[in-house]
Each structure stands twice: as C-alpha cells, then as structure tokens.
Amino acid sequence: MVQRICCIGAGYVGGPTCSVIAQMCPEITVTVVDINQKRILAWNSDQLPIFEPGLQEVVKACRGVNLFFSTDIARAVQEADIIFISVNTPTKMFGIGKGRAADLKYIEACARQIAEVAVGFKIVVEKSTVPVQAADSIRRIFDANTKSSASFQVLSNPEFLAEGTAMRDLKHPNRILIGGDATPEGQMAIEALSNIYEHWVPKSKIITTNTWSSELSKLASNAFLAQRISSINSISALCEMTGADVEEVATAIGTDQRIGSHFLKASVGFGGSCFQKDVLNMIYLCEAFNLPEVAQYWQQVVEINEYQRRRFTSHIVRCLFNTITDKKIAILGFAFKKDTGDTRESSSIYICKYLMEEGARLNIFDPQVKKEQILDDLAHSSLSQDDTDKVLRLITISSDPYEACENTHAIVICTEWDIFKTLDYERIYKAMQKPAFIFDGRRILNCVYDYLKQLGFQVEMIGKRAGQKTLYH
Ligand code: UDX
Ligand code: ADP
C-alpha cells in the first residue's frame, strides 16, 4: 500500500501534478521537494511560483493536510514509497550534443541522491521528459551505488499536461502512460502506480508498455503536435500569397476525422519548454542511432517554426515602409501562450529580438509575465549580443494595454490572451500614429477584422492575404 509520495522538482510539472494527486488521494501524503529554496517558500505562501488556473484553490485546500512543500530532500526520499523525478531536462548548451541533446545532469543528480539516502524498497518514477533509455541510466546508477538495504523499480510515467490547462488535463487526462520492466517486480510496480491514478482515472485510460515505448511515446507525442503546428504554419505562408485563408483551410481539413481539428491554429510559431526541446532531443537520438534521414525530417519542424517567426517580423518591417528604426511598436503578449506566465521559448522573445535588431522601440504588455522576467529574457546572452543597456534603452514594460499602444505605429499581437479580443480599439486607434497597423500573430481579431478596418487600421493577419497583394505575383 502506497502511503507516501515524494516528488523531486517543484516546477510546472511537479507542483500541479502532486497537488492533484494530493486532492484525489486524501489517504496519501505527498511531499514536493526542490533545491530551490525560494521556489519552496513561494509554494508555501499565497503567491505560488507559477500561474495556473485552478491551482491555487487545490493547493490551499491540501497544503498542510496531505500536501507539503519542503527543501528536505533526503527525508522526503527516505520516507516515500514512490519517488517522482520531475526535474528540468533542458537542451544542452555546450559539449557533445550541444543545442540538441537533453541535459540529464539534474536527473542524474537526483538518481545519485536517491541511491545515497534511500532505505527499503522504492518505486522511482521518471516524470520528466527524457531521451529513450534514460531509465536504463537511472537503473545503472542505482545498481552501482545502492546500499544493501535498498532496492528500486524504475518506471517511466510521462506527463502530458499543457500549461494553462494543467489542472483540467490532470483531472481528465486522455490517457495515463506507464512503462516498466516485464519482470514480476516491474509489473507490481506498474500496478502500484496505476492504483494511484485509478482514484480518479478510469482503468481503460491507463496504458502500460515497456519502458522504452513509454519514453519514446512522450517525445513522439510532442513531436507530432509540433509538426502539426509547423504544417499549418507552412500553409499559412501559402495562404498569404494566394488569397486562401488559413482558418478556412484549417476548418476544411480538420473536419476530416482522420486529420482532426485540434492543433491547427496558425501562429507566430510554437513556444514553451517542451516542443522545440523534445523535437531536438529526438533529432539527436536519430543522429546517434545513425538515422540521418529521420533526423532531417524532424529538423524541418523546427526550421519552419524559426522561419515563421522571421517571416512574421519581416512582414512587419516591410509594411512599416521598410524601416522601423526608432519607431514605437506595442507588443501585446509575452507568455508563450495564454493563461500562463511562462515565457520559456516564447515566440515573443524572438520577435522582440528581431524588431530590436532593426532599432525599434518596444512597449510590451502581458497580463501575467513580470517585468524582470521580460527584461531577463530579452537580455539573455544565448540569443544575441544584446546587452542589458540596449534592452533598457529600447524596451518599456507597460502594466496597461492602452498605455502600451499609445503613440505607437503598430500593435503586434504575440499571445492569444482573451482580453486582447475586447480592448477598446477605437480608443487605441485614436491614440496611435497614422497609418496605424495591427499585426495579429494569433488571429484573435479575425472576427472583428472588418470593424478594425472601418476604424482605419491596416490589419495584417497570419495566414490572410494582405490587402495590397495580388494573386500569383
Ligand atoms: C505541450 C503539450 O501540449 C503537452 O502535452 C506536453 O506535456 C508539454 O508540451 P505546452 O507546451 O504547455 O504543452 O502547451 P501547448 O498548448 O501544447 O502549446 C505549445 C505551443 O504551441 C504554444 O506556443 C501554443 O501557442 C502553440 N500552438 C498550439 C499553436 O501555435 N497552434 C496550435 O494550434 C496549438
Ligand atoms: P518543468 O517544467 O519540467 O516542471 P521546471 O524548471 O519548472 O521544469 O522545474 C524543475 C524543478 O526541478 C526546478 O524548480 C529545479 O530547482 C528542480 N530541480 C532540479 N534539479 C534538482 C535536484 N537535483 N533536486 C531537487 N530539485 C531539483
């Protein structure tokens, strides 16, 4: 009987996942641990470290009852029956596999720490997204370091939640995937973990596989989703040239049940901590296993994403009479999608960088992202040589969308926040330089397209032919 769960890593995956487990399994004590003391303090305060609709209520109800946040990793590991590893696996920035392979140093550190302090039998669950065969590495670290009083079963149980809808995804998952050894011990471990989920997930939705299938399914799942976005974004470029409208095309093709309607929204490109990292990770695996054709196939998904960001920015520059130096541009939205404060790999970062390269002055507004985060992302050295001074000179962070748009030549919508649909665009238009442009990288203003044009705006949307362009030029 599982009585205690420990989760190492109190981030976007570990925090919400354990909150839901604690809510659904009142008889189990769940302790989330992290090396980052500031993060743990935030989890124990009223200002949670991440914004996720519905999360605060669950944390408030369970915290101090059967949900705990702590920095005492050793103790939580010792007491737990099941240990989730939910640490970050960023893309390596140096050495072998630089820019593609997943950096497993945090996973390895966890495995070593678990081996050092654990006593008795533990089920160790890989929740972080990892390359195929990472569980084997964890097993080898255990085999080489474990004291005689401890034994382990390692399972793969990838998390499929999406940010912004994490609580709904966790409570109503499409499936739970658990991979483990074919041995009787492995099967018993799978059953123990499955029993946790069966508190709220129908058994028919719990898929069990071997460890490698589970690990690869997570990578493949994210790669397929990213591929759909790159596919529709590639079609959006064709739409802008031909007069077809990408939304109409997406609806038409999405009604074919074999294709399906989800994940066909053309955009400024996918962002977030997973898609690019996981596709790159898969590309690296293909190369390591000498499958260059497969690697090249997936590489295109990433390249189309970069192309879309560049293409969108070039279009802005072209429309603004080929020069944006010293022009003021409002950037609405900095998070990588709506309903999150997360900016990791957000297309907004790249679009702002490209516009800054042209010397534009940017007024940025996002309802959730903090000013320090925006400045930090834009000054980040891995993206370009921009130094903090340049960022501070060209960037203004506004706490109000109207203020952000005032006196600007153009508005660029980078995130699909609902509030951008209902702004008073008449008021905004009056306060802007003329001609006033809106570049909608998310197509959230398509339903008021004619109204905006009537107001006097020049409206440019991803996947919709611009007014002046002619067919087949
Ligand atoms: C994704 C996966 O959906 C989730 O299953 C996995 O566990 C983690 O990675 P997440 O990155 O949180 O989740 O968000 P998601 O909703 O998938 O969006 C990713 C990016 O794609 C965002 O930038 C979003 O704006 C963009 N997107 C999504 C599009 O551009 N068009 C779409 O049709 C869908
Ligand atoms: P994700 O989106 O995958 O949840 P995050 O970066 O939000 O990723 O969270 C990962 C968390 O894991 C971070 O808070 C980080 O401090 C924590 N972490 C990384 N390595 C360790 C470790 N060895 N022990 C404990 N916590 C760790």
Side-chain angles (χ1 to χ4, degrees):
M1 250 305 263
V2 173
Q3 289 178 326
R4 286 179 177 273
I5 291 176
C6 155
C7 172
I8 307 182
Y12 285 89
V13 173
T17 306
C18 286
S19 302
V20 170
I21 294 179
Q23 185 189 30
M24 298 301 184
C25 310
E27 79 284 10
I28 296 178
T29 301
V30 183
T31 306
V32 188
V33 291
D34 204 295
I35 34 172
N36 184 337
Q37 194 170 15
K38 221 172 118 196
R39 227 173 192 185
I40 292 298
L41 275 174
W43 278 109
N44 282 320
S45 76
D46 285 339
Q47 287 290 315
L48 300 186
I50 62 174
F51 169 71
E52 194 60 56
L55 175 65
Q56 181 115 16
E57 292 82 339
V58 177
V59 171
K60 267 196 172 158
C62 301
R63 196 172 52 196
V65 182
N66 68 330
L67 175 65
F68 300 90
F69 296 93
S70 162
T71 49
D72 191 347
I73 302 174
R75 182 169 167 200
V77 165
Q78 272 168 357
E79 291 179 349
D81 306 300
I82 296 185
I83 302 161
F84 287 115
I85 301 184
S86 289
V87 298
N88 36 337
T89 48
T91 304
K92 270 184 89 170
M93 296 315 287
F94 51 85
I96 299 168
K98 176 183 166 188
R100 282 171 302 167
D103 191 340
L104 296 184
K105 68 178 175 202
Y106 302 110
I107 297 261
E108 183 173 336
C110 285
R112 288 186 185 277
Q113 184 159 21
I114 294 169
E116 197 182 314
V117 300
V119 186
F121 174 66
K122 309 281 180 202
I123 298 171
V124 176
V125 182
E126 224 177 45
K127 262 234 160 275
S128 317
T129 305
V130 289
V132 187
Q133 299 183 346
D136 293 345
S137 309
I138 297 177
R139 284 191 193 108
R140 286 187 57 196
I141 289 171
F142 287 158
D143 290 347
N145 294 283
T146 301
K147 302 186 206 95
S148 56
S149 53
S151 63
F152 300 96
Q153 273 299 313
V154 181
L155 300 179
S156 158
N157 171 220
E159 184 46 65
F160 294 98
L161 66 81
E163 287 175 35
T165 54
M167 300 308 274
R168 194 180 69 208
D169 298 342
L170 285 162
K171 288 179 187 176
H172 307 284
N174 288 335
R175 76 320 211 167
I176 296 291
L177 179 58
I178 307 177
D181 274 0
T183 57
E185 296 80 13
Q187 295 303 303
M188 267 167 59
I190 291 178
E191 205 180 310
L193 183 59
S194 178
N195 284 339
I196 307 280
Y197 288 110
E198 282 169 43
H199 281 71
W200 76 97
V201 181
K203 205 167 177 171
S204 57
K205 288 194 170 181
I206 302 177
I207 303 171
T208 58
T209 64
N210 76 32
T211 318
W212 305 302
S213 302
S214 172
E215 289 173 333
L216 183 56
S217 299
K218 172 67 187 182
L219 289 184
S221 175
N222 275 348
F224 267 59
L225 291 170
Q227 179 203 45
R228 275 176 81 91
I229 301 169
S230 279
S231 296
I232 199 70
N233 281 344
S234 74
I235 298 295
S236 77
L238 203 51
C239 286
E240 287 164 32
M241 289 299 155
T242 57
D245 181 307
V246 77
E247 223 165 296
E248 292 177 356
V249 175
T251 307
I253 61 177
T255 46
D256 185 327
Q257 286 184 359
R258 293 167 302 175
I259 296 174
S261 59
H262 296 291
F263 265 69
L264 287 181
K265 280 206 184 77
S267 68
V268 280
F270 56 75
S273 69
C274 294
F275 282 175
Q276 175 161 310
K277 177 188 70 142
D278 291 350
V279 177
L280 290 172
N281 188 345
M282 212 163 79
I283 293 168
Y284 182 70
L285 277 179
C286 294
E287 286 170 349
F289 289 115
N290 198 21
L291 301 168
E293 289 81 0
V294 187
Q296 274 161 26
Y297 173 77
W298 290 105
Q299 182 67 38
Q300 274 308 309
V301 171
V302 177
E303 281 179 19
I304 287 287
N305 203 46
E306 283 164 9
Y307 163 76
Q308 187 78 346
R309 291 165 171 164
R310 279 271 180 209
R311 199 173 73 78
F312 182 63
T313 320
S314 306
H315 186 62
I316 295 173
V317 178
R318 258 199 319 276
C319 286
L320 292 177
F321 316 107
N322 285 313
T323 173
I324 55 170
T325 311
D326 284 331
K327 280 186 181 157
K328 271 195 186 174
I329 297 178
I331 304 289
L332 297 188
F334 203 77
F336 81 96
K337 62 188 270 194
K338 73 171 181 178
D339 293 338
T340 176
D342 193 355
T343 61
R344 288 178 291 180
E345 286 301 324
S346 175
S347 287
S348 307
I349 301 175
Y350 295 89
I351 288 162
C352 289
K353 285 264 173 192
Y354 301 151
L355 293 173
M356 277 162 57
E357 273 167 20
E358 298 282 337
R361 289 140 60 96
L362 307 178
N363 290 357
I364 304 175
F365 168 77
D366 187 284
Q368 277 299 332
V369 183
K370 299 204 169 60
K371 180 176 175 176
E372 303 72 48
Q373 184 65 51
I374 297 177
L375 295 177
D376 201 44
D377 285 336
L378 292 177
H380 200 276
S381 58
S382 67
L383 284 172
S384 85
Q385 297 307 312
D386 284 336
D387 54 21
T388 313
D389 287 349
K390 184 174 173 195
V391 169
L392 291 176
R393 187 166 50 82
L394 295 176
I395 301 291
T396 308
I397 313 291
S398 300
S399 53
D400 171 78
Y402 296 100
E403 182 194 287
C405 297
E406 207 174 306
N407 215 14
T408 57
H409 293 262
I411 298 171
V412 178
I413 297 177
C414 289
T415 313
E416 74 281 23
W417 286 102
D418 288 336
I419 56 159
F420 299 155
K421 292 183 193 167
T422 52
L423 293 175
D424 180 349
Y425 282 99
E426 192 172 355
R427 173 178 162 194
I428 289 176
Y429 180 76
K430 283 184 183 148
M432 283 177 69
Q433 301 275 337
K434 309 294 175 327
F437 291 81
I438 295 183
F439 298 93
D440 184 355
R442 293 292 190 159
R443 294 188 60 105
I444 54 168
L445 299 180
N446 200 24
C447 48
V448 287
Y449 182 79
D450 290 336
Y451 167 68
L452 294 172
K453 291 201 77 137
Q454 264 172 30
L455 286 177
F457 279 111
Q458 180 164 335
V459 190
E460 301 287 326
M461 299 214 168
I462 287 271
K464 199 179 187 101
R465 182 156 61 102
Q468 296 91 337
K469 278 190 189 148
T470 51
L471 214 51
Y472 306 121
H473 58 124

